[in-house]
Amino acid sequence: EMNIIDPQNASADVVMTTAGQVWTINEPDFQNIVQSDPHSAISIVHWLSRQLCRRIRRNTDRLLRDEEKNRQKFQDMDY
Protein backbone atom coordinates (compact mmCIF):
# COMPACT_ATOMS: atom_id res chain seq x y z
CA GLU A 1 0.00 0.00 0.00
CA MET A 2 2.91 2.35 0.52
CA ASN A 3 3.76 2.24 -3.18
CA ILE A 4 0.63 4.22 -4.02
CA ILE A 5 2.02 7.08 -1.94
CA ASP A 6 5.76 6.49 -2.37
CA PRO A 7 6.60 4.33 -5.40
CA GLN A 8 9.96 3.00 -4.21
CA ASN A 9 10.97 -0.63 -4.03
CA ALA A 10 9.11 -2.65 -1.43
CA SER A 11 10.71 -2.57 2.01
CA ALA A 12 9.38 -5.98 3.02
CA ASP A 13 7.84 -9.18 1.73
CA VAL A 14 4.55 -10.55 3.00
CA VAL A 15 3.86 -14.20 3.71
CA MET A 16 0.33 -15.31 4.55
CA THR A 17 0.18 -17.90 7.31
CA THR A 18 -3.54 -18.59 6.87
CA ALA A 19 -5.88 -18.60 3.91
CA GLY A 20 -7.05 -15.15 2.97
CA GLN A 21 -7.74 -12.72 0.22
CA VAL A 22 -5.20 -10.25 -1.13
CA TRP A 23 -6.10 -7.17 -3.10
CA THR A 24 -3.49 -5.32 -5.06
CA ILE A 25 -3.51 -2.02 -6.85
CA ASN A 26 -0.68 -0.40 -8.72
CA GLU A 27 -0.08 3.32 -9.07
CA PRO A 28 -1.49 3.67 -12.62
CA ASP A 29 -4.68 1.84 -11.63
CA PHE A 30 -5.00 4.04 -8.55
CA GLN A 31 -4.61 7.14 -10.74
CA ASN A 32 -7.49 5.83 -12.88
CA ILE A 33 -9.63 5.56 -9.75
CA VAL A 34 -8.66 9.11 -8.77
CA GLN A 35 -9.85 10.35 -12.17
CA SER A 36 -13.00 8.26 -12.43
CA ASP A 37 -14.17 8.12 -8.79
CA PRO A 38 -12.52 10.75 -6.57
CA HIS A 39 -14.73 9.85 -3.59
CA SER A 40 -13.45 6.25 -3.62
CA ALA A 41 -9.89 7.48 -4.03
CA ILE A 42 -10.27 9.67 -0.93
CA SER A 43 -11.62 6.68 1.00
CA ILE A 44 -8.62 4.59 -0.06
CA VAL A 45 -6.13 7.30 0.92
CA HIS A 46 -7.91 7.76 4.25
CA TRP A 47 -7.69 4.03 4.98
CA LEU A 48 -4.02 3.94 3.95
CA SER A 49 -3.25 6.93 6.15
CA ARG A 50 -4.85 5.28 9.16
CA GLN A 51 -2.90 2.07 8.57
CA LEU A 52 0.40 3.89 8.22
CA CYS A 53 -0.29 6.01 11.33
CA ARG A 54 -1.03 2.86 13.33
CA ARG A 55 2.27 1.36 12.20
CA ILE A 56 4.18 4.51 13.11
CA ARG A 57 2.57 4.54 16.57
CA ARG A 58 3.26 0.84 17.12
CA ASN A 59 6.88 1.16 16.03
CA THR A 60 7.39 4.31 18.10
CA ASP A 61 5.95 2.59 21.17
CA ARG A 62 8.23 -0.40 20.57
CA LEU A 63 11.29 1.84 20.23
CA LEU A 64 10.43 3.73 23.42
CA ARG A 65 9.94 0.47 25.36
CA ASP A 66 13.27 -0.86 24.08
CA GLU A 67 15.02 2.38 24.98
CA GLU A 68 13.58 2.28 28.49
CA LYS A 69 14.73 -1.34 28.92
CA ASN A 70 18.24 -0.39 27.80
CA ARG A 71 18.27 2.62 30.11
CA GLN A 72 17.31 0.38 33.03
CA LYS A 73 20.07 -2.08 32.15
CA PHE A 74 22.69 0.68 32.21
CA GLN A 75 21.36 2.13 35.46
CA ASP A 76 21.54 -1.29 37.08
CA MET A 77 25.18 -1.80 36.05
CA ASP A 78 27.79 -1.46 38.73
CA TYR A 79 30.53 0.79 37.39
Side-chain angles (χ1 to χ4, degrees), residues 15-28:
V15 176
M16 294 178 66
T17 58
T18 59
Q21 191 174 40
V22 176
W23 295 358
T24 62
I25 185 169
N26 59 29
E27 203 270 336

Side-chain angles (χ1 to χ4, degrees), residues 25-42:
I25 185 169
N26 59 29
E27 203 270 336
D29 289 342
F30 180 68
Q31 288 304 320
N32 288 335
I33 293 171
V34 169
Q35 295 298 318
S36 65
D37 190 356
H39 180 74
S40 292
I42 289 171

Side-chain angles (χ1 to χ4, degrees), residues 1-6 14 23 25 47-48 51-52 55:
E1 68 272 7
M2 289 172 48
N3 283 22
I4 290 176
I5 298 168
D6 185 13
V14 175
W23 295 358
I25 185 169
W47 180 85
L48 287 172
Q51 295 301 313
L52 294 172
R55 289 180 189 176

